[in-house]
Every structure is written in structure tokens, then in C-alpha cells.
Amino acid sequence: MNLNLTRYLLGFFILFSIFFSAKDLNLNSIEEEIIKNNREGKHQLSQKKLSDILLSGDLNKEEEANILFLMATTYRSVNDYMMCIDYLNKASAIAKQLPEDNLLRMKLDYEYAFVYFDNNQYDKSEEVMKRIAAKKYLNSYPEDNSYILMQEGYLFLLKKQYNEAEKKYYDALKIMQAANSCNLPIVYAKLMNLYSKKKNIAKAEEIYDVSMRVSDSCNVLKYKIFTASEMERIYKENNLFGKAYLIGSELDSLRRLENQEVKISEMHIVDKAYTEKEQLIKEKSDIWKRTVVLSVIILIALLALIYFYKKNRKIKRDKLLMRDELEQMKQELDSYSQNSENLTDSGRYFFLTSDDLTDRQKELLIHLADGLSNKEIAEKLFISENTVKYHTKNIYNILNIKDRKDFFQKLRNN
């Protein structure tokens, strides 16, 4: 009963918090928390917090758009680009109603550029980047400008304009060093690729070592995986298969730690719950309707508590009755077993002449005739008690025996 009561009380308080939380949001604080969680690989914590806020229904348009934007960045951090774009589209639809100079509108452009680029949709990414450049990179986050420079550098790399790419990468590196040194491995990976194209493998290896040290010091697992993957690819591309094999073994260990696919699967489960409830919350937007819904929930919770309380009491009563019946049955069986000791050997094993029984079934009946319990028979025959019961039932049907009492009666008669 205590377990059931705890579950329903917990469910009640969760529902209560959904209806009355998320007021007066501190968007800057929330964004810092989400960025920190995602960087440390705690994407599920980010998604749960953002889902709870969205489910609260107490958001103005700007707050809702910002939370949807942060949900998009969370999905991009686990490489789920389809979900990222979906949330960006939702956020953009709301952001169009905000003032032209609202910072979120520029942040959305940056995020579109990133997700299109990560998803190898370079034409779309370049189109957004041109729009960002036309607005003179108006963004309060220097890291984002570093990312844009890296993407511009990569587009030069694709065109084999290596000097221009190298300049963009080092400009990005300089910004990232000042903004957030823990994100340097992203730039280092781009430089590794550049020097691989220039056939300077030693320089790529040197940068790889620096990148892994930074990832270790910042404790960012995903950057270690990202950098190691890039180095493995470079080795294979340059036919250095021995080195590729060694770094591939290390990469397998890192990926097992991350277990990214499980995270995505679990996040989708939570997201499904958010999607299903989103429409319900929009329909119950005013306080009066929320009060009605909350009252119904409380009533259902109370009825559920009463139902499970009564059910639990009935189960306890049934268990007591069953225990008494089993005890009585045990006493009867003990009595039959004592009586069976006085039977002659020729009468005790009358069933051994039956051709309808297998040797295994006859062996079981011998133990039964000797007065052993189901548990003792199971131990002797190395089977479960349920198997003993199953075989006994079949044997009784074959020999036309009603129950154990009838069995001992037949033993005495024979």
C-alpha cells in the first residue's frame, strides 16, 4: 500500500507543478544551464527541464520562442538534425511576431546555419551565412561567430582554397580562445582536416594531441570522440591503417561511454509526451479551466488512492486465507506421508506397471509415495516446484487420480 500511495502522491505533485510553475523565467540563467548540461553530455536533463517549462503553459511569446530555440540546440548537440530543424521552425514562427531587432531572430539564423552545415546541406547553410554577414554578425555570443568562420573556412576547403581556409580557421581559433577555451577542439578538428589535405600529417597529429589534452582538462567526452573520429578518418584517407586501427580501438571505448543512441531514444519518448500534451495545455489557457482540470485530477487521485487501498487490503486478506489453507494442506500431507510409511513395497509402487507413464513420471511418483513435499521432489530431480506441480497434474490425469489424498488412498488399497 505504501508504494502505491507514494506513486500516486508523486504523480499528483508532478501535475501540480506543471500547472503552477515556470513563472517569471530567467532566460539567461536557463540558457546557461542548458549549454552547461549539453556540453557535459547531460542532454536528457536539458530536454526534461525545457519540456517541463513548455508544459507549464505560463509563457509569453518571447519566452516560448526562446525555450523552443534551446530545445533545438539540445537536439543538434546529439546530432538529431531533423528534430532540431523542427523546433527551429516552431521558434521562428513565433519569433516573426517579435521586433526586428530582437536578438533571438539573429540567434535563430546562426542555429539554422549550424544545423544545415552539420547535416551537409551546404547550400542552405551558405545562404543563411550570407544573411548573417549582411547583418554584420550581430550576435552577443562570440563562440557563434567562431563557428560561422569555421564553416566559411570549410567552404573554402571544399574549393581547395587552402590558404583562405587556414586564415578563416585561425581567425575562429583566436575568437574561441578568448570566448571559451573548452570548445577549442572543434576548431582543432577543422585544422587537422586542413593539414591532412595539405599532406602534413605530422602537423595534424600535433594538433590532435593538443585537442585531446584540452578535452581531458575540460572533461568534454563528445569532443574527444569528435577529434578521435577525425584523426581516424585522416589516417585511413592517407593509407595509415595501422595507426587508424589503434585510434579506432580507443574510439570504440569512448563511444561505449557516450551511449548516444540510447539518449536520443529516451529523449524522443519524453518529447512524445510533450507533443501530446501541448495541444491540451493550449486549449486550457485561462485560470478557470486550469482550476477545473486540477480539481478533476485531485478527485481522480483520491478515488485511485481509495481503490488501491481497498484492493491492497483484499490482497492481504486473500494472502492470509491462502496461508491458512496451505498450512492445513501441509498438515494433511504430513498425515498421509506418515500413513504411507506403513504400506508394503508391493502396494506402494502399483503405478510402476503402468505403460502410460514415462520413467521420469514414475520416478516422481516414487518420491511422492515416500512422502516428500513438492519442494523436496524438485530438489531431488533438479527441477522447479512449478514443474513438479505440472507433472503431478498430468500424472493424476493419466492414472485417474483426483488429488494427493486420492493418491495415498489408492496406495493403501493396493
Side-chain angles (χ1 to χ4, degrees):
M1 175 194 168
N2 291 336
L3 181 59
N4 289 330
L5 178 61
T6 301
R7 286 174 178 170
Y8 279 92
L9 286 176
L10 179 60
F12 166 73
F13 284 117
I14 290 174
L15 289 169
F16 187 86
S17 64
I18 286 174
F19 278 98
F20 293 100
S21 61
K23 295 182 179 180
D24 301 325
L25 289 182
N26 186 333
L27 290 174
N28 289 334
S29 175
I30 293 172
E31 184 167 7
E32 290 174 3
E33 181 180 350
I34 298 305
I35 291 173
K36 181 176 181 295
N37 285 342
N38 293 346
R39 186 172 293 148
E40 295 175 356
K42 301 175 182 177
H43 309 94
Q44 291 159 286
L45 288 180
S46 295
Q47 194 224 19
K48 183 180 184 306
K49 182 179 183 65
L50 295 172
S51 295
D52 288 344
I53 295 173
L54 288 170
L55 284 169
S56 73
D58 294 332
L59 305 175
N60 58 40
K61 292 298 181 183
E62 183 172 4
E63 290 171 338
E64 184 179 2
N66 273 277
I67 297 302
L68 290 169
F69 164 77
L70 292 175
M71 187 73 86
T73 64
T74 298
Y75 274 107
R76 185 171 65 85
S77 67
V78 292
N79 302 330
D80 193 340
Y81 305 128
M82 185 172 66
M83 290 296 290
C84 174
I85 292 172
D86 182 57
Y87 274 101
L88 285 177
N89 290 340
K90 291 178 182 178
S92 295
I94 299 173
K96 289 177 181 179
Q97 305 172 39
L98 302 177
E100 184 69 27
D101 60 349
N102 190 287
L103 181 59
L104 177 61
R105 300 183 69 160
M106 178 61 78
K107 288 163 66 175
L108 286 167
D109 277 343
Y110 273 80
E111 193 63 26
Y112 272 119
F114 297 148
V115 70
Y116 285 144
F117 187 89
D118 291 347
N119 201 30
N120 299 327
Q121 295 176 276
Y122 300 126
D123 291 342
K124 287 187 176 182
S125 181
E126 188 172 13
E127 181 182 340
V128 179
M129 284 190 287
K130 288 178 180 178
R131 187 162 67 241
I132 292 172
K135 296 179 180 179
K136 299 181 179 179
Y137 301 93
L138 295 176
N139 194 329
S140 60
Y141 295 97
E143 292 175 64
D144 287 348
N145 287 332
S146 178
Y147 295 140
I148 290 295
L149 288 170
M150 280 187 276
Q151 292 183 181
E152 291 175 351
Y154 185 76
L155 294 178
F156 280 124
L157 188 71
L158 291 178
K159 300 172 186 176
K160 297 184 179 181
Q161 297 174 331
Y162 298 140
N163 291 335
E164 290 83 352
E166 188 173 22
K167 182 179 183 306
K168 289 288 185 180
Y169 286 157
Y170 276 104
D171 286 343
L173 185 68
K174 183 178 179 180
I175 294 174
M176 193 65 77
Q177 283 174 329
N180 189 340
S181 60
C182 285
N183 283 340
L184 285 174
I186 300 175
V187 192
Y188 288 140
K190 301 298 182 185
L191 285 168
M192 287 161 52
N193 184 33
L194 170 66
Y195 288 116
S196 171
K197 298 296 183 184
K198 297 176 75 172
K199 302 302 179 183
N200 191 346
I201 305 302
K203 183 65 174 178
E205 290 175 329
E206 177 186 334
I207 295 174
Y208 169 73
D209 291 337
V210 174
S211 179
M212 293 301 278
R213 287 198 297 271
V214 171
S215 298
D216 279 329
S217 64
C218 293
N219 193 28
V220 184
L221 178 60
K222 70 174 184 178
Y223 287 163
K224 294 180 71 173
I225 294 173
F226 175 60
T227 312
S229 298
E230 183 65 16
M231 196 69 242
E232 181 188 39
R233 187 194 62 77
I234 289 171
Y235 281 143
K236 289 180 179 178
E237 190 177 79
N238 289 275
N239 299 321
L240 299 171
F241 297 110
K243 291 185 175 182
Y245 174 79
L246 292 176
I247 202 170
S249 299
E250 179 183 354
L251 189 57
D252 288 340
S253 300
L254 293 173
R255 282 173 174 156
R256 282 194 292 271
L257 287 175
E258 186 180 44
N259 198 11
Q260 183 170 312
E261 290 185 358
V262 174
K263 290 181 183 177
I264 294 176
S265 176
E266 292 175 351
M267 287 170 68
H268 277 210
I269 292 172
V270 177
D271 188 76
K272 182 181 178 182
Y274 155 65
T275 303
E276 290 174 349
K277 291 185 178 181
E278 185 179 36
Q279 185 60 38
L280 178 63
I281 289 177
K282 287 182 178 179
E283 292 173 357
K284 296 174 173 58
S285 58
D286 59 81
I287 298 176
W288 181 83
K289 288 185 179 180
R290 287 186 197 172
T291 304
V292 172
V293 172
L294 186 58
S295 299
V296 172
I297 291 172
I298 293 173
L299 178 59
I300 292 173
L302 289 174
L303 291 174
L305 286 174
I306 293 171
Y307 169 76
F308 281 101
Y309 173 73
K310 290 183 177 180
K311 183 177 179 181
N312 195 59
R313 287 189 62 184
K314 184 178 182 301
I315 291 172
K316 286 184 176 180
R317 287 198 302 268
D318 291 343
K319 285 182 178 179
L320 289 174
L321 290 173
M322 186 180 296
R323 186 180 64 185
D324 292 340
E325 290 175 359
L326 290 174
E327 183 63 29
Q328 183 179 354
M329 186 182 298
K330 182 177 181 300
Q331 291 174 3
E332 291 178 358
L333 291 176
D334 289 343
S335 174
Y336 296 145
S337 297
Q338 291 172 5
N339 292 335
S340 70
E341 294 175 359
N342 299 323
L343 300 174
T344 63
D345 288 341
S346 60
R348 176 175 299 181
Y349 303 124
F350 73 92
F351 46 80
L352 293 179
T353 59
S354 174
D355 294 330
D356 296 328
L357 297 178
T358 65
D359 291 340
R360 188 66 163 174
Q361 289 173 328
K362 291 175 182 180
E363 183 182 4
L364 187 150
L365 278 179
I366 290 173
H367 291 310
L368 188 61
D370 288 341
L372 272 63
S373 66
N374 286 345
K375 182 178 181 181
E376 292 170 331
I377 294 173
E379 292 175 352
K380 282 185 173 294
L381 299 183
F382 301 102
I383 56 179
S384 69
E385 286 188 62
N386 286 333
T387 304
V388 172
K389 293 176 183 178
Y390 172 76
H391 285 312
T392 302
K393 182 179 179 181
N394 289 338
I395 293 169
Y396 284 171
N397 288 335
I398 293 170
L399 297 178
N400 196 24
I401 294 174
K402 296 179 181 178
D403 51 28
R404 189 169 294 202
K405 181 177 179 180
D406 188 35
F407 172 69
F408 282 110
Q409 183 66 39
K410 282 183 167 47
L411 286 178
R412 283 193 291 271
N413 294 339
N414 284 278

